Amino acid sequence: MEPPSGPSRRRCVPCNRLLLAASLLTFWTLPTTTQLSIETVPPLATEGSNVLLLAHNVTEKTLRYSWYRGERIETIQLIASYGVVINATAKGSAHGLRETLYPNGTLLIQNITQEDTGSYTLLILKNDLQTERQTGHLNVHHPVARPSLQASNTTVAAHEGPAVLTCLTDETGVSIHWFFKGQSLLLTRGMTLSLDNSTLTIDPVSRKDNGDYQCEVSNRGNSSKSDPLRLHVKYKLTPESSSDLSAGAIVGIVIGAVAGVAALIAALVYFLYIRETRRSRTL
């Protein structure tokens, strides 16, 4: 006769739950590893500026940092290496006298040029003689030359036109933005831009268009503004311009005129009263 199996199964249920809990705890407490990464600061560099290639998530158990030009680990491409134990830096064949390697693995490149554009690889030798590598990329943009602004006519009568402003630049692959009185230009009725934003046309011109205009050209790395150009808008009274006066303004003008006439009448009455009073006293 076989022994009953019910009680033994009940005793195993708590054991199974403990094993499941232990497995979940082990899963959630597994150590997380972070991968070595390279950050370019600033991310969009301009020719003539300085750039840092920052090494992130570097292990503390490091024997040597080595930076290479390009993506391949070759002696001829070595820029510089730093020995942590001996606290010394050695320059490589690809060192251009503008690179500085810091003890934390960061590489500084000063006064960058277009020729510095490309990939840079960091190789780390750990205490266990294992290596880790990561590649970063540097993009160098040339400075944008200042544009100039010209107008078909800098003096225009109100309600006439057109006034055409053109942004002149020799740069290619740039975007053009417009400013009015130092603020980003908001297109109003009568204003149109060409497809490439290089020409601003105002037709007809209103008194609100009077002021300084500028254009700005920019690429991914930098930008440059033109000198201000002032558009003078002369006021010319026309049937259309008279409609620019609001009803409140017209009422204000009428009330002011009436008040002025009333003041003159009151002054005249007072003058006559004083004169008659003096005359009656002399009789």
Side-chain angles (χ1 to χ4, degrees):
M1 186 175 187
E2 296 182 358
S5 58
S8 62
R9 291 178 181 173
R10 285 194 296 269
R11 285 194 300 268
C12 290
V13 170
C15 297
N16 291 336
R17 290 178 178 174
L18 288 174
L19 290 174
L20 178 60
S23 299
L24 290 174
L25 182 61
T26 303
F27 173 78
W28 287 112
T29 56
L30 284 174
T32 57
T33 57
T34 52
Q35 187 177 8
L36 175 67
S37 63
I38 306 299
E39 178 188 7
T40 304
V41 180
L44 298 176
T46 305
E47 197 172 16
S49 63
N50 299 335
V51 171
L52 287 172
L53 297 177
L54 300 179
H56 293 295
N57 306 322
V58 178
T59 177
E60 296 180 357
K61 300 178 181 180
T62 300
L63 288 178
R64 186 173 63 245
Y65 300 99
S66 299
W67 277 98
Y68 294 83
R69 180 68 188 265
E71 299 183 7
R72 301 177 63 179
I73 306 300
E74 297 179 348
T75 303
I76 195 174
Q77 295 297 100
L78 177 65
I79 298 173
S81 62
Y82 173 78
V84 176
V85 177
I86 61 176
N87 189 24
T89 301
K91 297 178 181 178
S93 302
H95 195 282
L97 303 180
R98 294 177 292 111
E99 298 88 356
T100 302
L101 178 55
Y102 293 102
N104 64 352
T106 294
L107 181 67
L108 167 67
I109 307 177
Q110 296 177 296
N111 193 24
I112 60 175
T113 66
Q114 289 286 337
E115 296 180 355
D116 294 318
T117 297
S119 302
Y120 293 80
T121 299
L122 172 61
L123 178 68
I124 293 178
L125 177 63
K126 304 178 185 179
N127 289 353
D128 57 4
L129 302 184
Q130 296 295 315
T131 60
E132 187 176 7
R133 60 185 289 180
Q134 187 57 266
T135 299
H137 302 277
L138 173 60
N139 295 311
V140 182
H141 301 274
H142 68 86
V144 175
R146 174 177 289 187
S148 60
L149 191 58
Q150 71 175 20
S152 58
N153 195 347
T154 56
T155 301
V156 185
H159 308 288
E160 294 184 0
V164 181
L165 284 70
T166 304
C167 186
L168 301 176
T169 178
D170 294 329
E171 301 288 345
T172 58
V174 295
S175 58
I176 299 177
H177 190 64
W178 288 84
F179 291 84
F180 177 56
K181 295 181 179 180
Q183 304 294 325
S184 182
L185 175 66
L186 297 177
L187 294 181
T188 59
R189 186 178 63 179
M191 287 185 175
T192 56
L193 283 172
S194 60
L195 292 178
D196 60 357
N197 282 7
S198 63
T199 302
L200 172 66
T201 303
I202 309 175
D203 187 20
V205 178
S206 71
R207 286 181 294 169
K208 295 180 181 179
D209 299 322
N210 185 84
D212 291 337
Y213 290 81
Q214 287 177 283
C215 69
E216 179 185 65
V217 295
S218 60
N219 58 21
R220 294 184 59 192
N222 58 99
S223 61
S224 181
K225 280 185 182 180
S226 68
D227 291 328
L229 184 147
R230 172 155 294 189
L231 181 65
H232 300 273
V233 180
K234 291 185 176 181
Y235 179 66
K236 181 179 179 181
L237 185 61
T238 64
E240 291 80 5
S241 64
S242 62
S243 63
D244 292 344
L245 295 175
S246 62
I250 295 175
V251 171
I253 293 173
V254 172
I255 292 176
V258 172
V261 173
L264 289 175
I265 294 175
L268 179 61
V269 170
Y270 179 74
F271 173 75
L272 293 176
Y273 170 76
I274 295 298
R275 190 179 67 174
E276 292 299 326
T277 301
R278 289 178 178 175
R279 181 182 296 179
S280 62
R281 288 179 181 177
T282 56
L283 295 178

